[in-house]
DNA sequence: ACAAGTACTTACCTTTAAGTAGGATACCTA
DNA sequence: TAGGTATCCTACTTAAAGGTAAGTACTTGT
């Protein structure tokens, strides 16, 4: 982003915030990390998030290509989530934010 | 943050988001960068932000110790903002986000 | 009088994000 | 029947964030 009159529609920071903004997304990404996680696992790791929000945010992250979702055709349902290559690019951001939050 | 049952009140990512979350803060920090900026300067650099939001977010960032505000006792009013040492620690985060947004 | 400069405040409204509660699917077991 | 498994949806409500418009202060110039 050039600091001179760049329209907000072209701002890469805005673009990133569109993808990962909000209360829960970065924490979801962090909890998945390099693992393959199931829905119920995430629920246990993040007891404070509502079902509705977890599902909503997982879905959004899948749509943005940050997460990959693998569904198994079975009952009870089985779904697995993992970071895509694109998702992994967010890890350094998360690490820096974790560090900043721990120190400040 | 340990990935096991850490209360959200202790989550460093949450703590960082408390400080810099929202639509405008990171972009304000970016526009100030290593400079000393006046209110009116920021308005020109960020024509899309409302006066109310700019002032509100500047104030918040000052309260969180990310920005330093210097007021001159004069008319017309003159106020300058610059990043604190703490604020500078956010620059690598912003850079990474800029990069991510530009590529994705 | 009005306009310009600079930086802010306030009341109210609109939009967005998050939360609550109830419900759904299909199969199995007691 | 009830309860369990696992994942998800929907309607509605609440909370939070962002926006709009009008106003403030003081000085100087037209």
């Amino acid at each position: 982003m050039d600091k001179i009159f760049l329209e907000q529609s072209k701002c890469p920071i805005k673009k990133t915030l569109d993808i990962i903004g909000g209360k829960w997304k970065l924490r979801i990404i962090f909890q998945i990390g390099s693992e393959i996680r199931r829905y119920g696992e995430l629920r246990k790791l993040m007891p404070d998030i509502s079902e509705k929000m977890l599902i909503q945010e997982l879905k959004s992250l899948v749509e943005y290509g940050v997460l990959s979702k693998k569904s198994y055709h079975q009952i009870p349902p089985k779904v697995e989530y993992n970071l895509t290559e694109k998702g992994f690019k967010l890890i350094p951001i998360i690490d820096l934010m974790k560090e900043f939050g721990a120190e400040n």
Side-chain angles (χ1 to χ4, degrees), chain A:
Chain A
M1 176 166 79
D2 195 316
K3 288 189 182 179
I4 311 293
F5 300 130
L6 192 65
E7 286 176 19
Q8 70 170 338
S9 59
K10 293 191 182 135
C11 175
I13 295 177
K14 177 183 187 303
K15 191 169 175 185
T16 298
L17 286 177
D18 287 343
I19 296 170
I20 62 168
K23 182 173 177 178
W24 295 107
K25 281 184 183 164
L26 286 178
R27 289 147 79 185
I28 290 169
I29 293 166
F30 176 74
Q31 292 290 1
I32 294 176
S34 53
E35 306 294 331
I36 295 176
R37 299 280 191 201
R38 293 181 60 182
Y39 169 78
E41 239 179 310
L42 291 169
R43 297 252 17 235
K44 290 190 174 69
L45 290 172
M46 309 175 69
D48 296 321
I49 187 169
S50 68
E51 284 197 330
K52 182 247 187 183
M53 287 310 301
L54 180 53
I55 289 160
Q56 176 183 300
E57 301 301 76
L58 284 168
K59 181 174 179 181
S60 173
L61 289 169
V62 169
E63 282 167 358
Y64 275 119
V66 170
L67 287 186
S68 174
K69 172 182 178 178
K70 182 170 183 181
S71 302
Y72 294 81
H73 297 286
Q74 69 175 54
I75 294 295
K78 179 178 178 181
V79 178
E80 294 174 340
Y81 294 93
N82 62 286
L83 291 194
T84 59
E85 197 177 312
K86 181 173 170 181
F88 269 105
K89 291 177 184 172
L90 293 164
I91 297 292
I93 294 173
I94 291 170
D95 285 339
L96 286 177
M97 287 172 76
K98 196 156 61 82
E99 202 175 307
F100 180 88
E103 294 171 357
N104 297 285

